[in-house]
mmCIF file of all heavy atoms in Angstrom:
data_model
loop_
_atom_site.group_PDB
_atom_site.id
_atom_site.type_symbol
_atom_site.label_atom_id
_atom_site.label_comp_id
_atom_site.label_asym_id
_atom_site.label_seq_id
_atom_site.Cartn_x
_atom_site.Cartn_y
_atom_site.Cartn_z
ATOM 1 N N ALA A 315 -39.071 71.299 -45.209
ATOM 2 C CA ALA A 315 -40.166 72.119 -44.691
ATOM 3 C C ALA A 315 -41.516 71.417 -44.641
ATOM 4 O O ALA A 315 -42.200 71.473 -43.621
ATOM 5 C CB ALA A 315 -40.260 73.412 -45.493
ATOM 6 N N PRO A 316 -41.947 70.699 -45.701
ATOM 7 C CA PRO A 316 -43.254 70.074 -45.634
ATOM 8 C C PRO A 316 -43.346 68.975 -44.589
ATOM 9 O O PRO A 316 -44.425 68.599 -44.172
ATOM 10 C CB PRO A 316 -43.440 69.495 -47.047
ATOM 11 C CG PRO A 316 -42.471 70.235 -47.900
ATOM 12 C CD PRO A 316 -41.324 70.547 -46.994
ATOM 13 N N ARG A 317 -42.165 68.461 -44.176
ATOM 14 C CA ARG A 317 -42.177 67.328 -43.257
ATOM 15 C C ARG A 317 -42.180 67.773 -41.807
ATOM 16 O O ARG A 317 -42.486 67.010 -40.916
ATOM 17 C CB ARG A 317 -40.956 66.451 -43.515
ATOM 18 C CG ARG A 317 -40.847 66.024 -44.967
ATOM 19 C CD ARG A 317 -39.709 65.064 -45.173
ATOM 20 N NE ARG A 317 -39.917 63.869 -44.373
ATOM 21 C CZ ARG A 317 -39.050 62.855 -44.321
ATOM 22 N NH1 ARG A 317 -37.953 62.926 -45.012
ATOM 23 N NH2 ARG A 317 -39.283 61.805 -43.584
ATOM 24 N N ALA A 318 -41.774 69.015 -41.529
ATOM 25 C CA ALA A 318 -41.716 69.470 -40.144
ATOM 26 C C ALA A 318 -43.106 69.435 -39.533
ATOM 27 O O ALA A 318 -44.076 69.885 -40.118
ATOM 28 C CB ALA A 318 -41.141 70.879 -40.078
ATOM 29 N N GLY A 319 -43.210 68.872 -38.348
ATOM 30 C CA GLY A 319 -44.484 68.816 -37.661
ATOM 31 C C GLY A 319 -45.409 67.743 -38.178
ATOM 32 O O GLY A 319 -46.604 67.748 -37.895
ATOM 33 N N SER A 320 -44.905 66.798 -38.955
ATOM 34 C CA SER A 320 -45.759 65.737 -39.460
ATOM 35 C C SER A 320 -46.242 64.870 -38.321
ATOM 36 O O SER A 320 -45.663 64.838 -37.243
ATOM 37 C CB SER A 320 -45.004 64.890 -40.492
ATOM 38 O OG SER A 320 -44.322 63.841 -39.879
ATOM 39 N N ALA A 321 -47.320 64.151 -38.585
ATOM 40 C CA ALA A 321 -47.935 63.346 -37.525
ATOM 41 C C ALA A 321 -47.473 61.909 -37.550
ATOM 42 O O ALA A 321 -48.072 61.053 -36.904
ATOM 43 C CB ALA A 321 -49.460 63.408 -37.681
ATOM 44 N N ARG A 322 -46.381 61.638 -38.288
ATOM 45 C CA ARG A 322 -45.921 60.248 -38.335
ATOM 46 C C ARG A 322 -45.507 59.769 -36.959
ATOM 47 O O ARG A 322 -44.956 60.513 -36.168
ATOM 48 C CB ARG A 322 -44.710 60.118 -39.276
ATOM 49 C CG ARG A 322 -45.066 60.230 -40.746
ATOM 50 C CD ARG A 322 -43.816 60.146 -41.591
ATOM 51 N NE ARG A 322 -42.908 61.233 -41.211
ATOM 52 C CZ ARG A 322 -41.620 61.214 -41.451
ATOM 53 N NH1 ARG A 322 -41.070 60.171 -42.000
ATOM 54 N NH2 ARG A 322 -40.865 62.236 -41.106
ATOM 55 N N SER A 323 -45.737 58.529 -36.703
ATOM 56 C CA SER A 323 -45.353 57.957 -35.417
ATOM 57 C C SER A 323 -43.876 57.650 -35.394
ATOM 58 O O SER A 323 -43.228 57.566 -36.426
ATOM 59 C CB SER A 323 -46.130 56.660 -35.165
ATOM 60 O OG SER A 323 -45.687 55.660 -36.057
ATOM 61 N N ARG A 324 -43.322 57.517 -34.202
ATOM 62 C CA ARG A 324 -41.913 57.161 -34.061
ATOM 63 C C ARG A 324 -41.628 55.834 -34.729
ATOM 64 O O ARG A 324 -40.618 55.657 -35.382
ATOM 65 C CB ARG A 324 -41.545 57.094 -32.575
ATOM 66 C CG ARG A 324 -40.071 56.907 -32.352
ATOM 67 C CD ARG A 324 -39.748 57.026 -30.892
ATOM 68 N NE ARG A 324 -39.431 55.722 -30.348
ATOM 69 C CZ ARG A 324 -39.197 55.495 -29.066
ATOM 70 N NH1 ARG A 324 -39.306 56.471 -28.201
ATOM 71 N NH2 ARG A 324 -38.875 54.310 -28.632
ATOM 72 N N THR A 325 -42.537 54.888 -34.613
ATOM 73 C CA THR A 325 -42.314 53.572 -35.208
ATOM 74 C C THR A 325 -42.229 53.665 -36.720
ATOM 75 O O THR A 325 -41.327 53.112 -37.349
ATOM 76 C CB THR A 325 -43.445 52.620 -34.804
ATOM 77 O OG1 THR A 325 -43.490 52.540 -33.384
ATOM 78 C CG2 THR A 325 -43.222 51.235 -35.399
ATOM 79 N N SER A 326 -43.168 54.395 -37.329
ATOM 80 C CA SER A 326 -43.147 54.485 -38.792
ATOM 81 C C SER A 326 -41.920 55.243 -39.266
ATOM 82 O O SER A 326 -41.345 54.917 -40.292
ATOM 83 C CB SER A 326 -44.418 55.167 -39.305
ATOM 84 O OG SER A 326 -44.466 56.512 -38.881
ATOM 85 N N ARG A 327 -41.516 56.274 -38.510
ATOM 86 C CA ARG A 327 -40.328 57.056 -38.883
ATOM 87 C C ARG A 327 -39.090 56.175 -38.861
ATOM 88 O O ARG A 327 -38.307 56.158 -39.789
ATOM 89 C CB ARG A 327 -40.192 58.226 -37.900
ATOM 90 C CG ARG A 327 -38.810 58.859 -37.797
ATOM 91 C CD ARG A 327 -38.569 59.888 -38.862
ATOM 92 N NE ARG A 327 -37.293 60.527 -38.641
ATOM 93 C CZ ARG A 327 -37.051 61.775 -38.921
ATOM 94 N NH1 ARG A 327 -37.995 62.536 -39.394
ATOM 95 N NH2 ARG A 327 -35.851 62.286 -38.747
ATOM 96 N N THR A 328 -38.921 55.421 -37.759
ATOM 97 C CA THR A 328 -37.733 54.589 -37.644
ATOM 98 C C THR A 328 -37.718 53.525 -38.718
ATOM 99 O O THR A 328 -36.691 53.249 -39.352
ATOM 100 C CB THR A 328 -37.699 53.927 -36.241
ATOM 101 O OG1 THR A 328 -37.751 54.965 -35.275
ATOM 102 C CG2 THR A 328 -36.432 53.124 -36.064
#
Side-chain angles (χ1 to χ4, degrees):
R317 306 185 61 182
S320 89
R322 287 178 301 159
S323 69
R324 187 173 107 185
T325 302
S326 65
R327 159 84 175 213
T328 304

